Amino acid sequence: MEEKHTEYVAYPKTPFDLFGVEVDDGWKPIAEKVLREIIAYNETAPEDSKIWVDQVKEKFATLRIYVTYDNVPQDVINRIETLIEDAEKEAENTCEICGTKENIGLRTNGWYTVMCEDCARKIVREDKKKGLVYKDGIKWKRKSDGKTFLVREDAKAEID
């Protein structure tokens, strides 16, 4: 589902029109479930009764899906809003990078990101190769118990 679906954009030059789905690969399937429902509704909806996707993005380590309703029946609005809320909740416990639901935490230094420990370690390793070395590693707060660690290339150390 790589296409941008610009036929469902309400206004020219919206973020969705310009950039499509602005999340990493791990969250794309979550967002696409909502987009598929919107597309299915719009395919059979009258021309004056559409749902327009304004933006799909990550903001402060949360999935955000913004839509505009144009003469859409309230039951459809309720269904889409529930799908959006469910997608946002699912993303809270899904690695935005790889999509796993195992060993999830929150990167708390730099760009806040929901990620698994393996992806945190991978980022440190890749950034080191680019010369962007984290002095102490990535601060990563495990969601299961709230403990905070410094995740390094080959290890982690609890700091709280």
Side-chain angles (χ1 to χ4, degrees):
M1 193 172 214
E2 274 301 311
E3 62 271 8
K4 293 183 182 179
H5 303 293
T6 55
E7 67 272 24
Y8 301 111
V9 177
Y11 310 103
K13 308 295 186 235
T14 64
F16 191 71
D17 183 28
L18 295 171
F19 308 113
V21 177
E22 298 176 84
V23 297
D24 279 326
D25 290 344
W27 282 3
K28 283 184 180 176
I30 298 170
E32 287 172 353
K33 284 188 261 183
V34 176
L35 295 176
R36 279 193 292 274
E37 286 292 320
I38 292 170
I39 290 166
Y41 167 78
N42 282 343
E43 285 176 348
T44 60
E47 209 44 50
D48 66 342
S49 178
K50 300 282 185 181
I51 301 170
W52 306 101
V53 178
D54 299 313
Q55 190 170 28
V56 178
K57 68 177 185 174
E58 174 277 335
K59 182 175 183 177
F60 301 119
T62 58
L63 174 64
R64 294 288 179 234
I65 301 173
Y66 301 109
V67 297
T68 301
Y69 302 103
D70 190 12
N71 300 316
V72 175
Q74 190 61 49
D75 64 317
V76 175
I77 291 172
N78 293 344
R79 188 175 86 236
I80 297 300
E81 288 180 355
T82 297
L83 287 171
I84 290 171
E85 289 172 19
D86 291 348
E88 291 172 353
K89 286 178 187 169
E90 182 180 352
E92 288 176 11
N93 294 298
T94 303
C95 178
E96 184 181 356
I97 298 165
C98 73
T100 188
K101 295 179 185 323
E102 302 295 323
N103 204 14
I104 297 300
L106 178 67
R107 176 186 179 165
T108 60
N109 64 332
W111 194 277
Y112 280 33
T113 308
V114 176
M115 64 173 61
C116 64
E117 182 182 343
D118 290 341
C119 284
R121 189 168 286 114
K122 181 180 176 184
I123 287 171
V124 171
R125 204 169 19 253
E126 288 173 356
D127 284 355
K128 184 177 179 182
K129 288 178 187 175
K130 297 176 191 172
L132 305 170
V133 180
Y134 293 97
K135 182 178 177 187
D136 297 317
I138 287 178
K139 288 183 184 176
W140 179 80
K141 186 173 185 176
R142 189 167 50 205
K143 289 203 171 205
S144 64
D145 60 12
K147 291 182 180 180
T148 302
F149 300 87
L150 281 175
V151 176
R152 296 188 175 105
E153 192 173 353
D154 296 319
K156 72 178 179 198
E158 188 174 345
I159 58 175
D160 281 341

